[in-house]
Amino acid sequence: MHLLQIKNLKTYFYTTDGIGKAVDDVTFSLEKSETLGLVGESGCGKSVTALSVMRLLKEPPARIVNGQILFDGTDLLRRTKKDIKAILGKRISMIFQEPMTSLNPVYTIGDQIAEMLSLHEDLAKKQSWERAVDMLAKVQIPSPEKRAYEYPHQLSGGMRQRAMIAMALACNPEILIADEPTTALDVTVQAQIIDLMMQLKNEFGTAILLITHDLGVVAQTAERIVVMYTGKIVEEAETLAIFEDPKHPYTRGLLQSLPNIGYRSFSRRQPLHEIEGIVPSLYGLPQGCSFHPRCPDVMAICRQTAPKLVDIGDNHNVQCHLYP
């Protein structure tokens, strides 16, 4: 049985501009102790998928109109708010995209981690504080006893992200959802944060849903990759298969957009490849395949009929008319 299984999930936004289908019939699964990469450009539905799982979307304007979110065999969409509160934060945790706006500015780092432990582990105040300091040490924050008394604005971006990881892993969750965990960090700190997440994953046995637009990050960390575009899954396969033989034109475009760092790439002065155009608005998606205005392999059928996600073998799924 899958640890987490999302089936035919549809999350729409109802606004004065119309209905925005941010997540439109998405299906994928996450196994125990697995790292799954969820990739795509901004506006493709990655974060909304994660927030749907965590039940953190503001309703209205957002509404989950269809689907199932099965955690350990139980549909979270059918559970009471009390049940959900007991699961989220303890068994499923999330690292948010921007720690400065996710951490409470008026509470110390130690208090915020201790509150999580007090709520879900039913620990006394002293025990919660000691565990909070211990978690700061686990995420390699120097002088954790001192840092626990500091506020978010007193920490660097990398330190704040480490504090977020400490908070997310404080209750030893079975699933960690990491939404762009290295955004706005310099390259050195990004590498440190990713290495830290993988170390803690091995220590706690946590499954990770890693949301990113950085294919270099998922290449190092993920066993499988799900590629999203305009709220739909366009390709899903093992990481090696995606990088060695991408099937969807969008996936190929993303991979070709990666810079080839090396002496020859500089000497030849080759221009960086880009996918033409931009992600269309969810309130004005083109007819047929939503990628067709940007696709180098577009055919007449692409402009009329939306393709279906099909299995082309070896657990490799693709949504494209090139593979009927």
PDB file of all heavy atoms in Angstrom, residues 9 11 13 21-24 26 28 38-52 57 179 211 228-232 279 282:
ATOM      1  N   LEU A   9      -7.153  14.380  -8.231  1.00  0.00           N
ATOM      2  CA  LEU A   9      -7.336  15.592  -7.440  1.00  0.00           C
ATOM      3  C   LEU A   9      -7.613  16.798  -8.328  1.00  0.00           C
ATOM      4  O   LEU A   9      -6.891  17.058  -9.294  1.00  0.00           O
ATOM      5  CB  LEU A   9      -6.091  15.850  -6.582  1.00  0.00           C
ATOM      6  CG  LEU A   9      -6.153  17.072  -5.660  1.00  0.00           C
ATOM      7  CD1 LEU A   9      -7.218  16.888  -4.588  1.00  0.00           C
ATOM      8  CD2 LEU A   9      -4.786  17.334  -5.028  1.00  0.00           C
ATOM      9  N   THR A  11      -8.337  20.882  -7.726  1.00  0.00           N
ATOM     10  CA  THR A  11      -8.441  22.041  -6.850  1.00  0.00           C
ATOM     11  C   THR A  11      -8.611  23.281  -7.720  1.00  0.00           C
ATOM     12  O   THR A  11      -7.714  23.622  -8.499  1.00  0.00           O
ATOM     13  CB  THR A  11      -7.194  22.191  -5.962  1.00  0.00           C
ATOM     14  OG1 THR A  11      -7.002  21.000  -5.203  1.00  0.00           O
ATOM     15  CG2 THR A  11      -7.349  23.373  -5.022  1.00  0.00           C
ATOM     16  N   PHE A  13      -9.936  27.478  -8.244  1.00  0.00           N
ATOM     17  CA  PHE A  13     -10.099  28.781  -7.607  1.00  0.00           C
ATOM     18  C   PHE A  13     -11.259  29.505  -8.293  1.00  0.00           C
ATOM     19  O   PHE A  13     -11.242  29.702  -9.517  1.00  0.00           O
ATOM     20  CB  PHE A  13      -8.815  29.603  -7.715  1.00  0.00           C
ATOM     21  CG  PHE A  13      -7.725  29.142  -6.797  1.00  0.00           C
ATOM     22  CD1 PHE A  13      -6.899  28.081  -7.144  1.00  0.00           C
ATOM     23  CD2 PHE A  13      -7.524  29.756  -5.571  1.00  0.00           C
ATOM     24  CE1 PHE A  13      -5.891  27.643  -6.302  1.00  0.00           C
ATOM     25  CE2 PHE A  13      -6.529  29.323  -4.712  1.00  0.00           C
ATOM     26  CZ  PHE A  13      -5.707  28.266  -5.079  1.00  0.00           C
ATOM     27  N   LYS A  21      -8.329  26.413 -12.844  1.00  0.00           N
ATOM     28  CA  LYS A  21      -8.106  24.998 -12.533  1.00  0.00           C
ATOM     29  C   LYS A  21      -6.634  24.783 -12.203  1.00  0.00           C
ATOM     30  O   LYS A  21      -5.843  24.338 -13.022  1.00  0.00           O
ATOM     31  CB  LYS A  21      -8.553  24.123 -13.703  1.00  0.00           C
ATOM     32  CG  LYS A  21     -10.039  24.268 -14.020  1.00  0.00           C
ATOM     33  CD  LYS A  21     -10.452  23.396 -15.200  1.00  0.00           C
ATOM     34  CE  LYS A  21     -11.943  23.539 -15.487  1.00  0.00           C
ATOM     35  NZ  LYS A  21     -12.371  22.695 -16.625  1.00  0.00           N
ATOM     36  N   ALA A  22      -6.276  25.130 -10.943  1.00  0.00           N
ATOM     37  CA  ALA A  22      -4.873  25.096 -10.528  1.00  0.00           C
ATOM     38  C   ALA A  22      -4.325  23.674 -10.465  1.00  0.00           C
ATOM     39  O   ALA A  22      -3.159  23.435 -10.778  1.00  0.00           O
ATOM     40  CB  ALA A  22      -4.720  25.775  -9.166  1.00  0.00           C
ATOM     41  N   VAL A  23      -5.150  22.739 -10.030  1.00  0.00           N
ATOM     42  CA  VAL A  23      -4.803  21.306 -10.037  1.00  0.00           C
ATOM     43  C   VAL A  23      -5.961  20.600 -10.710  1.00  0.00           C
ATOM     44  O   VAL A  23      -7.090  20.655 -10.233  1.00  0.00           O
ATOM     45  CB  VAL A  23      -4.587  20.765  -8.603  1.00  0.00           C
ATOM     46  CG1 VAL A  23      -4.286  19.277  -8.633  1.00  0.00           C
ATOM     47  CG2 VAL A  23      -3.460  21.523  -7.905  1.00  0.00           C
ATOM     48  N   ASP A  24      -5.676  19.934 -11.833  1.00  0.00           N
ATOM     49  CA  ASP A  24      -6.757  19.418 -12.668  1.00  0.00           C
ATOM     50  C   ASP A  24      -6.557  17.937 -12.976  1.00  0.00           C
ATOM     51  O   ASP A  24      -5.837  17.570 -13.900  1.00  0.00           O
ATOM     52  CB  ASP A  24      -6.826  20.231 -13.964  1.00  0.00           C
ATOM     53  CG  ASP A  24      -8.116  19.991 -14.733  1.00  0.00           C
ATOM     54  OD1 ASP A  24      -9.068  19.436 -14.150  1.00  0.00           O
ATOM     55  OD2 ASP A  24      -8.172  20.378 -15.913  1.00  0.00           O
ATOM     56  N   VAL A  26      -5.100  15.365 -11.042  1.00  0.00           N
ATOM     57  CA  VAL A  26      -3.733  14.918 -10.767  1.00  0.00           C
ATOM     58  C   VAL A  26      -3.758  13.612  -9.963  1.00  0.00           C
ATOM     59  O   VAL A  26      -4.478  13.497  -8.975  1.00  0.00           O
ATOM     60  CB  VAL A  26      -2.952  16.003  -9.995  1.00  0.00           C
ATOM     61  CG1 VAL A  26      -1.697  15.435  -9.349  1.00  0.00           C
ATOM     62  CG2 VAL A  26      -2.604  17.143 -10.938  1.00  0.00           C
ATOM     63  N   PHE A  28      -0.887  10.714  -8.427  1.00  0.00           N
ATOM     64  CA  PHE A  28       0.449  10.144  -8.239  1.00  0.00           C
ATOM     65  C   PHE A  28       0.543   9.595  -6.809  1.00  0.00           C
ATOM     66  O   PHE A  28      -0.360   9.808  -5.988  1.00  0.00           O
ATOM     67  CB  PHE A  28       1.571  11.172  -8.499  1.00  0.00           C
ATOM     68  CG  PHE A  28       1.622  12.323  -7.526  1.00  0.00           C
ATOM     69  CD1 PHE A  28       2.311  12.232  -6.329  1.00  0.00           C
ATOM     70  CD2 PHE A  28       0.981  13.529  -7.828  1.00  0.00           C
ATOM     71  CE1 PHE A  28       2.367  13.301  -5.449  1.00  0.00           C
ATOM     72  CE2 PHE A  28       1.026  14.602  -6.950  1.00  0.00           C
ATOM     73  CZ  PHE A  28       1.725  14.481  -5.756  1.00  0.00           C
ATOM     74  N   LEU A  38       8.640  16.912  -7.570  1.00  0.00           N
ATOM     75  CA  LEU A  38       7.499  17.496  -8.277  1.00  0.00           C
ATOM     76  C   LEU A  38       8.003  18.783  -8.915  1.00  0.00           C
ATOM     77  O   LEU A  38       8.304  19.756  -8.219  1.00  0.00           O
ATOM     78  CB  LEU A  38       6.358  17.776  -7.296  1.00  0.00           C
ATOM     79  CG  LEU A  38       4.995  18.177  -7.862  1.00  0.00           C
ATOM     80  CD1 LEU A  38       4.443  17.092  -8.770  1.00  0.00           C
ATOM     81  CD2 LEU A  38       4.009  18.458  -6.724  1.00  0.00           C
ATOM     82  N   VAL A  39       8.145  18.782 -10.255  1.00  0.00           N
ATOM     83  CA  VAL A  39       8.842  19.883 -10.929  1.00  0.00           C
ATOM     84  C   VAL A  39       7.961  20.558 -11.968  1.00  0.00           C
ATOM     85  O   VAL A  39       6.949  20.010 -12.415  1.00  0.00           O
ATOM     86  CB  VAL A  39      10.152  19.391 -11.587  1.00  0.00           C
ATOM     87  CG1 VAL A  39      11.050  18.711 -10.576  1.00  0.00           C
ATOM     88  CG2 VAL A  39       9.849  18.442 -12.750  1.00  0.00           C
ATOM     89  N   GLY A  40       8.382  21.754 -12.357  1.00  0.00           N
ATOM     90  CA  GLY A  40       7.663  22.546 -13.346  1.00  0.00           C
ATOM     91  C   GLY A  40       7.901  24.021 -13.084  1.00  0.00           C
ATOM     92  O   GLY A  40       8.418  24.403 -12.027  1.00  0.00           O
ATOM     93  N   GLU A  41       7.542  24.859 -14.038  1.00  0.00           N
ATOM     94  CA  GLU A  41       7.701  26.299 -13.874  1.00  0.00           C
ATOM     95  C   GLU A  41       6.725  26.837 -12.830  1.00  0.00           C
ATOM     96  O   GLU A  41       5.785  26.159 -12.424  1.00  0.00           O
ATOM     97  CB  GLU A  41       7.449  26.998 -15.215  1.00  0.00           C
ATOM     98  CG  GLU A  41       8.461  26.673 -16.297  1.00  0.00           C
ATOM     99  CD  GLU A  41       8.014  27.184 -17.654  1.00  0.00           C
ATOM    100  OE1 GLU A  41       7.162  26.536 -18.287  1.00  0.00           O
ATOM    101  OE2 GLU A  41       8.515  28.233 -18.078  1.00  0.00           O
ATOM    102  N   SER A  42       6.943  28.068 -12.414  1.00  0.00           N
ATOM    103  CA  SER A  42       6.012  28.729 -11.502  1.00  0.00           C
ATOM    104  C   SER A  42       4.642  28.827 -12.155  1.00  0.00           C
ATOM    105  O   SER A  42       4.535  29.133 -13.348  1.00  0.00           O
ATOM    106  CB  SER A  42       6.516  30.131 -11.154  1.00  0.00           C
ATOM    107  OG  SER A  42       7.741  30.057 -10.455  1.00  0.00           O
ATOM    108  N   GLY A  43       3.600  28.568 -11.382  1.00  0.00           N
ATOM    109  CA  GLY A  43       2.239  28.643 -11.909  1.00  0.00           C
ATOM    110  C   GLY A  43       1.727  27.356 -12.508  1.00  0.00           C
ATOM    111  O   GLY A  43       0.657  27.344 -13.120  1.00  0.00           O
ATOM    112  N   CYS A  44       2.464  26.255 -12.300  1.00  0.00           N
ATOM    113  CA  CYS A  44       2.050  24.966 -12.880  1.00  0.00           C
ATOM    114  C   CYS A  44       1.229  24.107 -11.924  1.00  0.00           C
ATOM    115  O   CYS A  44       0.773  23.028 -12.307  1.00  0.00           O
ATOM    116  CB  CYS A  44       3.271  24.192 -13.360  1.00  0.00           C
ATOM    117  SG  CYS A  44       3.995  24.871 -14.871  1.00  0.00           S
ATOM    118  N   GLY A  45       1.056  24.543 -10.669  1.00  0.00           N
ATOM    119  CA  GLY A  45       0.195  23.814  -9.739  1.00  0.00           C
ATOM    120  C   GLY A  45       0.916  22.996  -8.690  1.00  0.00           C
ATOM    121  O   GLY A  45       0.277  22.281  -7.920  1.00  0.00           O
ATOM    122  N   LYS A  46       2.231  23.112  -8.596  1.00  0.00           N
ATOM    123  CA  LYS A  46       3.008  22.299  -7.657  1.00  0.00           C
ATOM    124  C   LYS A  46       2.654  22.639  -6.203  1.00  0.00           C
ATOM    125  O   LYS A  46       2.317  21.751  -5.410  1.00  0.00           O
ATOM    126  CB  LYS A  46       4.507  22.499  -7.885  1.00  0.00           C
ATOM    127  CG  LYS A  46       4.970  22.295  -9.314  1.00  0.00           C
ATOM    128  CD  LYS A  46       6.471  22.422  -9.460  1.00  0.00           C
ATOM    129  CE  LYS A  46       7.047  23.728  -8.973  1.00  0.00           C
ATOM    130  NZ  LYS A  46       6.551  24.907  -9.750  1.00  0.00           N
ATOM    131  N   SER A  47       2.756  23.917  -5.865  1.00  0.00           N
ATOM    132  CA  SER A  47       2.496  24.331  -4.481  1.00  0.00           C
ATOM    133  C   SER A  47       1.037  24.143  -4.093  1.00  0.00           C
ATOM    134  O   SER A  47       0.728  23.774  -2.947  1.00  0.00           O
ATOM    135  CB  SER A  47       2.900  25.796  -4.276  1.00  0.00           C
ATOM    136  OG  SER A  47       4.300  25.949  -4.414  1.00  0.00           O
ATOM    137  N   VAL A  48       0.124  24.371  -5.031  1.00  0.00           N
ATOM    138  CA  VAL A  48      -1.300  24.181  -4.737  1.00  0.00           C
ATOM    139  C   VAL A  48      -1.589  22.709  -4.450  1.00  0.00           C
ATOM    140  O   VAL A  48      -2.414  22.373  -3.588  1.00  0.00           O
ATOM    141  CB  VAL A  48      -2.179  24.702  -5.890  1.00  0.00           C
ATOM    142  CG1 VAL A  48      -3.650  24.407  -5.631  1.00  0.00           C
ATOM    143  CG2 VAL A  48      -1.987  26.202  -6.068  1.00  0.00           C
ATOM    144  N   THR A  49      -0.904  21.814  -5.143  1.00  0.00           N
ATOM    145  CA  THR A  49      -1.045  20.385  -4.854  1.00  0.00           C
ATOM    146  C   THR A  49      -0.632  20.092  -3.416  1.00  0.00           C
ATOM    147  O   THR A  49      -1.341  19.394  -2.678  1.00  0.00           O
ATOM    148  CB  THR A  49      -0.179  19.555  -5.821  1.00  0.00           C
ATOM    149  OG1 THR A  49      -0.592  19.796  -7.167  1.00  0.00           O
ATOM    150  CG2 THR A  49      -0.301  18.069  -5.521  1.00  0.00           C
ATOM    151  N   ALA A  50       0.520  20.640  -3.003  1.00  0.00           N
ATOM    152  CA  ALA A  50       1.004  20.425  -1.637  1.00  0.00           C
ATOM    153  C   ALA A  50       0.068  21.031  -0.604  1.00  0.00           C
ATOM    154  O   ALA A  50      -0.248  20.407   0.419  1.00  0.00           O
ATOM    155  CB  ALA A  50       2.406  21.015  -1.487  1.00  0.00           C
ATOM    156  N   LEU A  51      -0.403  22.247  -0.855  1.00  0.00           N
ATOM    157  CA  LEU A  51      -1.300  22.915   0.092  1.00  0.00           C
ATOM    158  C   LEU A  51      -2.656  22.214   0.161  1.00  0.00           C
ATOM    159  O   LEU A  51      -3.332  22.266   1.191  1.00  0.00           O
ATOM    160  CB  LEU A  51      -1.471  24.385  -0.308  1.00  0.00           C
ATOM    161  CG  LEU A  51      -0.219  25.252  -0.172  1.00  0.00           C
ATOM    162  CD1 LEU A  51      -0.442  26.631  -0.780  1.00  0.00           C
ATOM    163  CD2 LEU A  51       0.199  25.370   1.290  1.00  0.00           C
ATOM    164  N   SER A  52      -3.047  21.543  -0.924  1.00  0.00           N
ATOM    165  CA  SER A  52      -4.278  20.754  -0.901  1.00  0.00           C
ATOM    166  C   SER A  52      -4.123  19.570   0.049  1.00  0.00           C
ATOM    167  O   SER A  52      -5.035  19.244   0.815  1.00  0.00           O
ATOM    168  CB  SER A  52      -4.619  20.252  -2.309  1.00  0.00           C
ATOM    169  OG  SER A  52      -4.882  21.322  -3.193  1.00  0.00           O
ATOM    170  N   LEU A  57      -5.303  25.653   2.055  1.00  0.00           N
ATOM    171  CA  LEU A  57      -5.835  26.627   1.103  1.00  0.00           C
ATOM    172  C   LEU A  57      -7.030  27.369   1.705  1.00  0.00           C
ATOM    173  O   LEU A  57      -7.832  26.777   2.424  1.00  0.00           O
ATOM    174  CB  LEU A  57      -6.256  25.922  -0.187  1.00  0.00           C
ATOM    175  CG  LEU A  57      -5.123  25.337  -1.034  1.00  0.00           C
ATOM    176  CD1 LEU A  57      -5.688  24.437  -2.117  1.00  0.00           C
ATOM    177  CD2 LEU A  57      -4.276  26.445  -1.637  1.00  0.00           C
ATOM    178  N   ASP A 179       8.591  22.582  -0.019  1.00  0.00           N
ATOM    179  CA  ASP A 179       8.171  23.459  -1.115  1.00  0.00           C
ATOM    180  C   ASP A 179       9.274  24.478  -1.400  1.00  0.00           C
ATOM    181  O   ASP A 179       9.436  25.455  -0.670  1.00  0.00           O
ATOM    182  CB  ASP A 179       6.866  24.169  -0.739  1.00  0.00           C
ATOM    183  CG  ASP A 179       6.289  24.970  -1.895  1.00  0.00           C
ATOM    184  OD1 ASP A 179       6.849  24.894  -3.002  1.00  0.00           O
ATOM    185  OD2 ASP A 179       5.283  25.661  -1.693  1.00  0.00           O
ATOM    186  N   ILE A 211       9.283  19.774  -3.915  1.00  0.00           N
ATOM    187  CA  ILE A 211       8.713  20.644  -4.942  1.00  0.00           C
ATOM    188  C   ILE A 211       9.768  21.662  -5.356  1.00  0.00           C
ATOM    189  O   ILE A 211      10.310  22.382  -4.511  1.00  0.00           O
ATOM    190  CB  ILE A 211       7.471  21.372  -4.398  1.00  0.00           C
ATOM    191  CG1 ILE A 211       6.407  20.350  -3.992  1.00  0.00           C
ATOM    192  CG2 ILE A 211       6.918  22.348  -5.411  1.00  0.00           C
ATOM    193  CD1 ILE A 211       5.251  20.945  -3.228  1.00  0.00           C
ATOM    194  N   MET A 228       4.830  18.721 -13.896  1.00  0.00           N
ATOM    195  CA  MET A 228       3.512  19.342 -14.002  1.00  0.00           C
ATOM    196  C   MET A 228       3.539  20.552 -14.924  1.00  0.00           C
ATOM    197  O   MET A 228       4.546  21.271 -15.006  1.00  0.00           O
ATOM    198  CB  MET A 228       2.992  19.770 -12.625  1.00  0.00           C
ATOM    199  CG  MET A 228       2.595  18.632 -11.719  1.00  0.00           C
ATOM    200  SD  MET A 228       1.758  19.211 -10.203  1.00  0.00           S
ATOM    201  CE  MET A 228       0.190  19.815 -10.864  1.00  0.00           C
ATOM    202  N   TYR A 229       2.414  20.762 -15.624  1.00  0.00           N
ATOM    203  CA  TYR A 229       2.245  21.946 -16.463  1.00  0.00           C
ATOM    204  C   TYR A 229       0.768  22.322 -16.469  1.00  0.00           C
ATOM    205  O   TYR A 229      -0.094  21.488 -16.739  1.00  0.00           O
ATOM    206  CB  TYR A 229       2.734  21.685 -17.893  1.00  0.00           C
ATOM    207  CG  TYR A 229       2.753  22.924 -18.751  1.00  0.00           C
ATOM    208  CD1 TYR A 229       3.757  23.878 -18.592  1.00  0.00           C
ATOM    209  CD2 TYR A 229       1.777  23.162 -19.717  1.00  0.00           C
ATOM    210  CE1 TYR A 229       3.783  25.033 -19.373  1.00  0.00           C
ATOM    211  CE2 TYR A 229       1.804  24.308 -20.504  1.00  0.00           C
ATOM    212  CZ  TYR A 229       2.803  25.245 -20.315  1.00  0.00           C
ATOM    213  OH  TYR A 229       2.823  26.387 -21.072  1.00  0.00           O
ATOM    214  N   THR A 230       0.478  23.564 -16.137  1.00  0.00           N
ATOM    215  CA  THR A 230      -0.890  24.106 -16.058  1.00  0.00           C
ATOM    216  C   THR A 230      -1.848  23.178 -15.306  1.00  0.00           C
ATOM    217  O   THR A 230      -2.946  22.887 -15.761  1.00  0.00           O
ATOM    218  CB  THR A 230      -1.465  24.431 -17.456  1.00  0.00           C
ATOM    219  OG1 THR A 230      -1.471  23.241 -18.263  1.00  0.00           O
ATOM    220  CG2 THR A 230      -0.660  25.507 -18.148  1.00  0.00           C
ATOM    221  N   GLY A 231      -1.402  22.706 -14.150  1.00  0.00           N
ATOM    222  CA  GLY A 231      -2.274  21.926 -13.277  1.00  0.00           C
ATOM    223  C   GLY A 231      -2.398  20.457 -13.602  1.00  0.00           C
ATOM    224  O   GLY A 231      -3.129  19.740 -12.933  1.00  0.00           O
ATOM    225  N   LYS A 232      -1.676  19.984 -14.615  1.00  0.00           N
ATOM    226  CA  LYS A 232      -1.758  18.584 -15.008  1.00  0.00           C
ATOM    227  C   LYS A 232      -0.376  17.931 -14.975  1.00  0.00           C
ATOM    228  O   LYS A 232       0.643  18.604 -15.127  1.00  0.00           O
ATOM    229  CB  LYS A 232      -2.334  18.445 -16.420  1.00  0.00           C
ATOM    230  CG  LYS A 232      -3.791  18.898 -16.570  1.00  0.00           C
ATOM    231  CD  LYS A 232      -4.250  18.733 -18.015  1.00  0.00           C
ATOM    232  CE  LYS A 232      -5.705  19.157 -18.199  1.00  0.00           C
ATOM    233  NZ  LYS A 232      -6.628  18.208 -17.537  1.00  0.00           N
ATOM    234  N   VAL A 279       4.032  30.448 -19.263  1.00  0.00           N
ATOM    235  CA  VAL A 279       2.923  29.605 -18.808  1.00  0.00           C
ATOM    236  C   VAL A 279       1.627  30.406 -18.934  1.00  0.00           C
ATOM    237  O   VAL A 279       1.543  31.531 -18.427  1.00  0.00           O
ATOM    238  CB  VAL A 279       3.128  29.172 -17.346  1.00  0.00           C
ATOM    239  CG1 VAL A 279       1.951  28.322 -16.871  1.00  0.00           C
ATOM    240  CG2 VAL A 279       4.431  28.399 -17.194  1.00  0.00           C
ATOM    241  N   LEU A 282      -4.323  30.505 -15.885  1.00  0.00           N
ATOM    242  CA  LEU A 282      -5.292  29.440 -15.609  1.00  0.00           C
ATOM    243  C   LEU A 282      -6.707  29.846 -16.011  1.00  0.00           C
ATOM    244  O   LEU A 282      -7.578  28.990 -16.162  1.00  0.00           O
ATOM    245  CB  LEU A 282      -5.263  29.082 -14.122  1.00  0.00           C
ATOM    246  CG  LEU A 282      -3.966  28.425 -13.611  1.00  0.00           C
ATOM    247  CD1 LEU A 282      -4.042  28.243 -12.106  1.00  0.00           C
ATOM    248  CD2 LEU A 282      -3.727  27.096 -14.298  1.00  0.00           C
TER     249      LEU A 282
END
